[in-house]
Amino acid sequence: QTPKGSCLEAVKIAIDAGYRHIDGAFVYFNEHEVGQAIREKIAEGKIKREDIFYCGKLWNTCHPPELVRPTLEKTLKILQLDYVDLYIIELPMAFKPGDALYPKDENGKFIYHETDLCATWEALEACKDAGLAKSIGVSNFNRRQLEMIMNKPGLKYKPVSNQVECHPYFTQPKLLEFCRQHDIVIVGYSPLGTSRDESWVNVSSPPLLKDPVLNAIGKKYNKTAAQVALRFNVQRGVVVIPKSFNPQRIRENFQIFDFSLTEKEMKEIEALNKNVRYVELLM
């Protein structure tokens, strides 16, 4: 949830800085600002629509196959765009369909919904065939869930990507290896760790950007710990989607293509893995 207008400004600054991949979602409640920023930059002649790679997400209350296309169409209407470049299932579990995005019973417990991920996937395939999404993928899926889709009878398109938490304290080596073998791109969210918001973050984990190893390597290259953390993932083939509303940091996060980490440094950072998630998705 962001203050009105801050997302619009952040996206425009990011596009000016060179960003072309924008990760969005219906439940961020800011897709109207993202769409406006993209359209304003197109009108300025700064970019063309095909320069932008926009990722939208199917929320947990919209898993039933008949809801998939209308949900994507709603997103496109909010964005005022004709297609998204990537549409992904946000989580491999479903909530009860309806107007409440986080449906709860009288005891405050989430109301789940029996879901058939393969049927949901088929509805995504139909959206791709209809030209509403150029590519389709998943998010927060483990190996078993990925295999369920990939081994589905009559599979038309396999997931192109799997968006998961990934950073030096949670390097995802097994999942990364599995996805590499199957040409599935890992998109790493929270690549800098996360905010310390207790409502959804495990704050007992130490802040990633205070890590002495990342800071020492940063000093050597005259880079920040954040830039080293981003470079680490990019160098191992993980797509990073850092989030910031701070103009200086938005630009800094992009300045990771003018240096390379040595093999020894990559191994040192890999060794920081604690197998801890910041984003625990307690629901």
Side-chain angles (χ1 to χ4, degrees), residues 4-24:
K4 195 166 178 277
S6 63
C7 179
L8 173 69
E9 282 314 305
V11 174
K12 291 202 294 196
I13 289 162
I15 289 172
D16 285 341
Y19 288 81
R20 295 295 178 262
H21 176 176
I22 300 168
D23 181 73

Side-chain angles (χ1 to χ4, degrees), residues 145-182:
Q145 291 152 343
L146 284 168
E147 283 178 334
M148 195 166 77
I149 300 239
M150 282 151 55
N151 300 332
K152 182 185 90 60
L155 181 73
K156 215 169 176 186
Y157 308 111
K158 65 173 198 188
V160 297
S161 60
N162 184 18
Q163 188 179 126
V164 294
E165 179 173 346
C166 190
H167 47 73
Y169 284 175
F170 194 56
T171 53
Q172 299 270 23
K174 285 182 179 163
L175 189 62
L176 184 57
E177 187 47 42
F178 174 78
C179 287
R180 272 193 190 129
Q181 286 165 0
H182 295 278

Side-chain angles (χ1 to χ4, degrees), residues 183-234:
D183 284 328
I184 298 170
V185 176
I186 289 264
V187 177
Y189 67 74
S190 302
L192 304 174
T194 59
S195 67
R196 313 297 281 175
D197 179 342
E198 289 187 17
S199 66
W200 57 281
V201 171
N202 172 4
V203 287
S204 67
S205 306
L208 178 71
L209 299 183
K210 297 248 166 59
D211 189 88
V213 174
L214 296 178
N215 282 283
I217 293 172
K219 217 170 227 146
K220 173 183 160 187
Y221 293 105
N222 203 14
K223 294 285 178 185
T224 64
Q227 288 166 321
V228 172
L230 293 175
R231 179 71 211 178
F232 162 73
N233 256 337
V234 165

Side-chain angles (χ1 to χ4, degrees), residues 12-266:
K12 291 202 294 196
I13 289 162
I15 289 172
D16 285 341
Y19 288 81
R20 295 295 178 262
H21 176 176
I22 300 168
D23 181 73
F26 176 69
V27 290
Y28 299 166
F29 301 113
N30 56 16
E31 285 190 310
H32 57 292
E33 291 190 16
V34 177
Q36 187 186 338
I38 293 170
R39 292 192 313 276
E40 283 183 21
K41 285 296 162 189
I42 291 171
E44 276 174 33
K46 174 86 188 163
I47 49 164
K48 298 193 202 51
R49 168 63 186 97
E50 55 270 27
D51 297 333
I52 291 292
F53 185 91
Y54 185 82
C55 170
K57 303 189 184 86
L58 180 76
W59 182 238
N60 309 0
T61 52
C62 311
H63 280 209
E66 66 277 8
L67 295 180
V68 172
R69 181 167 175 163
T71 303
L72 173 51
E73 285 172 339
K74 194 162 150 193
T75 279
L76 292 173
K77 200 175 162 189
I78 294 169
L79 288 162
Q80 291 181 42
L81 296 174
D82 298 329
Y83 65 89
V84 293
D85 299 273
L86 175 61
Y87 199 54
I88 63 180
I89 301 174
E90 190 156 354
L91 282 155
M93 38 148 283
F95 287 155
K96 180 184 143 206
D99 291 335
L101 289 177
Y102 297 91
K104 290 181 177 172
D105 63 18
E106 59 279 5
N107 304 315
K109 294 258 189 290
F110 285 109
I111 307 171
Y112 295 99
H113 184 71
E114 188 81 14
T115 188
D116 175 357
L117 285 172
C118 290
T120 307
W121 184 254
E122 284 169 11
L124 258 74
E125 290 179 324
C127 289
K128 176 173 158 63
D129 282 338
L132 301 177
K134 299 274 189 201
S135 298
I136 51 176
V138 296
S139 180
N140 297 301
F141 274 48
N142 61 26
R143 176 179 174 159
R144 181 181 61 80
Q145 291 152 343
L146 284 168
E147 283 178 334
M148 195 166 77
I149 300 239
M150 282 151 55
N151 300 332
K152 182 185 90 60
L155 181 73
K156 215 169 176 186
Y157 308 111
K158 65 173 198 188
V160 297
S161 60
N162 184 18
Q163 188 179 126
V164 294
E165 179 173 346
C166 190
H167 47 73
Y169 284 175
F170 194 56
T171 53
Q172 299 270 23
K174 285 182 179 163
L175 189 62
L176 184 57
E177 187 47 42
F178 174 78
C179 287
R180 272 193 190 129
Q181 286 165 0
H182 295 278
D183 284 328
I184 298 170
V185 176
I186 289 264
V187 177
Y189 67 74
S190 302
L192 304 174
T194 59
S195 67
R196 313 297 281 175
D197 179 342
E198 289 187 17
S199 66
W200 57 281
V201 171
N202 172 4
V203 287
S204 67
S205 306
L208 178 71
L209 299 183
K210 297 248 166 59
D211 189 88
V213 174
L214 296 178
N215 282 283
I217 293 172
K219 217 170 227 146
K220 173 183 160 187
Y221 293 105
N222 203 14
K223 294 285 178 185
T224 64
Q227 288 166 321
V228 172
L230 293 175
R231 179 71 211 178
F232 162 73
N233 256 337
V234 165
Q235 216 164 298
R236 60 206 278 265
V238 173
V239 173
V240 288
I241 43 173
K243 176 185 132 192
S244 178
F245 291 98
N246 174 315
Q248 187 195 340
R249 284 203 288 270
I250 289 172
R251 293 184 194 103
E252 266 180 16
N253 289 343
F254 197 78
Q255 290 157 1
I256 58 168
F257 302 105
D258 55 356
F259 77 111
S260 275
L261 299 166
T262 65
E263 210 167 308
K264 179 173 170 283
E265 287 161 346
M266 288 293 287

